Each structure stands twice: as structure tokens, then as C-alpha cells.
Amino acid sequence: MTSFGKCLNRRILLGATGVAIMAAVMGTGPVRAQEVTIPIIVKDTTSFYWQIVLAGARKAGKDLGVKVPELGAQAESDINGQISILENAVSGAPAAIVISPTEFKALGKPIDEAAKSVKIIGIDSAADSKAFTSFLTTDNVEGGRVAADGLATAITEKYGKAEGDVAIITALPGVGSLDQRAKGFKEQLAAKYPGIKLVADKVADGQATTGLNITTDLITANPDLRGIFASNLIMGQGAGQAIAENKAQDKIKVIAFDSDEKLVKFLSDGVLYALVVQDPFRMGYDGVKTALAASKGEKVETNVDTGANLITKANMNEPRAQELLNPKLD
């Protein structure tokens, strides 16, 4: 082959390579349609609860043919980390973004800014922003009401009437979702169960051992105590351990919020009377589904209640209860 021919072939090859690179960078119509990306940003990728959320999002991605990058910090306290993750996700020009804000105030402005470029779907926890296209979460006030009804039922089954002394244990002060659960619990007791008296309203430091110590003190200080509402998973672990160690499950009925392997075991053993269980799998699944619809310009609900379910030893083996207690993470 002549040097001219070689040069011509080389130019043709380089030209074809350039077109391929440009196509990859710019994206052709058909390829881009097949590669819709909707990142989901959770508070903590390491926790069991958020792994369930991610599993729901992953399933939605498979069902809907959408790429769903699973993003998030290593701890719920890493607020700046989540803000950086959000900013990086926006820079990738996705179809939409699903996010559970780590902190109400701090994530407000970053979400406002992100929403100028892309549809933002919120799940689980709110932020100080009106820019969400849709928001999917548990109605925590209603969750507190569900807990109050469950505790009243437990006390009635044991003592014949919905009356007696009860207590509530909150994991941390100033957390919106926990305050709402306490609010719903107290309001429901006042409205429906005048015979039930709230004799202790304790706030812990987020540690299970503190929940254990608080519950032990409650048992000692309140000999007529008939019920406890532990308003999150960690306090449920501590309260359950105290009830088990003191063999008080027949006398004191405990309702805990959320579930993990330890709480399910307590429930099965009768240490806890019931669990109020959210639906994190649905939050992840419907979050992605809603985000896809919003990205297409379809009308979506502004606010969606993903539900709070009371699971007792009596119904824990029913199919729906098992879906909530033992979600598939693959």
C-alpha cells in the first residue's frame, strides 16, 4: 500500500473513532432513551433500614428499565457529605433525583438549588424546601396513634379495660419524626382512652443502653406500670432487653416503632406486644417510580403516605407482615 493510502486509511479510522467518541459523549436519541438515570440518595448506606429503601429502589429500576445509582453517606450525621453527593448527582444531568434529607434546615437550600435543574422527589424525612415535586413518607403522627391503639388493646386484653399507667421513651430530643410520633400517641390517648394515664415521658441519647436503663428505672419507680411506647428501633431494643431481664412481659406491654432481627425475636418471644412498622421498601420503589413519572411530565401526587402497620405476635406470620418484617434485599 502506498504512503498516501496508509494516510487515507488512518484518517478514516481516526474520523470513525471521533464519531464514536462524540456519540458516547453526546448520546444519540435511542441510547439516551434506554439509559434513563434516577439516583437515590439515602441518609446512611450502612444501616438496615436504608438498605431496605435501596432494595426497593433497585427493584423499581429493574422493573422500569431505569438506571438507579445508590448513593449516600456512611452516617446520618454526615450532612455536608450528603450535600456534596446531591450536588454531584445534579451535575450528572439525571432524569430526576430521589433523596431523603439528613437534616431539615441544612438540606433546604441545596434542594432548592438542585430543583432548578432536575425534579426532586423526597422520601422519609422532610427538608426546609418547597421544591419537592413529590414527597413520600410515613405519617408519623398517625404512627403514634397506631401505637396508642395497639397499647390500649394490649392492656385491655390483659387487664379487662383500657386503663392504667403508661410511659413513652423517645430516642433523641428535637427530631421531627420522633416528636410527631409522641404527639400522635399522646393525642390518641387523650381523645380515646381517658383511663390510660401517661406517667412518664422520657427522652434518651440515642443509645440502646440508655433505653435499657430508662426502662429498668421505670419498672422500679412505677410498680403499677402497664405499658410503654418505645418510639424508635433503638429504644425498642433497650426497652425489650429490660423487659426480658426483669421477666415483666406479662405485666408490662410494650409497643416499639420499626423492626430488625432483634425486635422480631422479642415479638416472637412475647417480650414485645407489637411493632409499628413502616414500609421503607415501598418508599424506595415508589420514590423511583414517581421520579420517572415526574421526569416525563406526568402528574404525580404532592404528598404520599406510605403507611404504618401494627404487627403483633398473632399476625406476624401473615404474608403482608412477612413482607414488612423480612424484606428481600437482593
Side-chain angles (χ1 to χ4, degrees):
M1 181 180 291
T2 67
S3 59
F4 175 79
K6 291 179 180 178
C7 182
L8 180 60
N9 282 346
R10 190 159 52 246
R11 288 179 180 175
I12 291 172
L13 178 61
L14 288 171
T17 303
V19 170
I21 292 171
M22 286 299 293
V25 171
M26 299 301 293
T28 61
V31 171
R32 193 160 182 82
Q34 293 171 2
E35 295 181 350
V36 173
T37 299
I38 299 175
I40 181 168
I41 305 171
V42 298
K43 295 181 182 182
D44 175 4
T45 56
T46 68
S47 85
F48 182 67
Y49 179 87
W50 294 109
Q51 286 171 11
I52 299 172
V53 172
L54 292 175
R58 195 178 312 131
K59 180 67 163 58
K62 291 177 181 177
D63 290 351
L64 301 171
V66 174
K67 183 180 179 183
V68 183
E70 299 173 14
L71 309 175
Q74 298 295 299
E76 293 196 18
S77 58
D78 188 3
I79 298 168
N80 290 332
Q82 193 187 54
I83 292 172
S84 296
I85 290 168
L86 173 61
E87 291 171 347
N88 288 336
V90 172
S91 70
I97 292 174
V98 180
I99 185 171
S100 177
T102 52
E103 206 274 335
F104 182 81
K105 287 288 185 184
L107 268 292
K109 288 184 179 178
I111 286 172
D112 285 342
E113 191 64 28
K116 294 176 182 178
S117 304
V118 63
K119 301 284 188 183
I120 303 292
I121 307 301
I123 59 170
D124 185 79
S125 299
D128 189 13
S129 172
K130 295 185 180 352
F132 292 107
T133 299
S134 182
F135 192 77
L136 300 87
T137 188
T138 302
D139 181 340
N140 283 293
V141 174
E142 178 61 22
R145 295 191 191 108
V146 169
D149 288 339
L151 195 56
T153 297
I155 291 171
T156 300
E157 288 179 0
K158 171 61 182 177
Y159 294 99
K161 291 182 180 179
E163 59 185 23
D165 295 346
V166 302
I168 181 172
I169 307 174
T170 299
L172 288 164
V175 177
S177 58
L178 301 182
D179 290 344
Q180 290 166 357
R181 291 169 195 174
K183 179 176 184 288
F185 181 76
K186 294 172 186 176
E187 287 180 350
Q188 194 77 337
L189 290 185
K192 290 182 64 177
Y193 309 107
I196 296 180
K197 182 181 179 183
L198 184 65
V199 296
D201 185 354
K202 302 293 184 179
V203 179
D205 58 1
Q207 302 299 314
T209 52
T210 307
L212 164 64
N213 294 334
I214 288 174
T215 305
T216 301
D217 290 345
L218 285 171
I219 293 171
T220 303
N222 299 275
D224 296 325
L225 193 67
R226 292 183 174 182
I228 296 173
F229 172 38
S231 71
N232 84 334
L233 186 145
I234 302 301
M235 292 303 102
Q237 291 176 344
Q241 186 175 341
I243 293 294
E245 289 179 358
N246 287 274
K247 296 181 172 56
Q249 56 263 45
D250 186 54
K251 180 182 177 184
I252 301 173
K253 304 304 175 182
V254 180
I255 309 288
F257 215 98
D258 285 332
S259 71
D260 67 356
E261 187 175 342
K262 188 170 186 177
L263 292 195
V264 171
K265 181 69 163 56
F266 280 149
L267 181 66
S268 179
D269 292 345
V271 173
L272 301 178
Y273 177 80
L275 303 175
V276 180
V277 181
Q278 303 181 77
D279 196 345
F281 189 92
R282 180 185 171 191
M283 283 185 205
Y285 191 100
D286 284 2
V288 171
K289 184 179 179 181
T290 301
L292 180 60
S295 74
K296 294 178 179 178
E298 298 174 11
K299 185 176 180 180
V300 297
E301 293 291 330
T302 304
N303 292 286
V304 179
D305 176 12
T306 53
N309 308 266
L310 189 75
I311 299 179
T312 65
K313 185 176 181 179
N315 68 13
M316 68 181 295
N317 291 317
E318 293 178 2
R320 177 55 178 157
Q322 284 299 305
E323 284 180 4
L324 295 169
L325 295 177
N326 300 295
K328 295 179 180 179
L329 299 183
D330 53 10

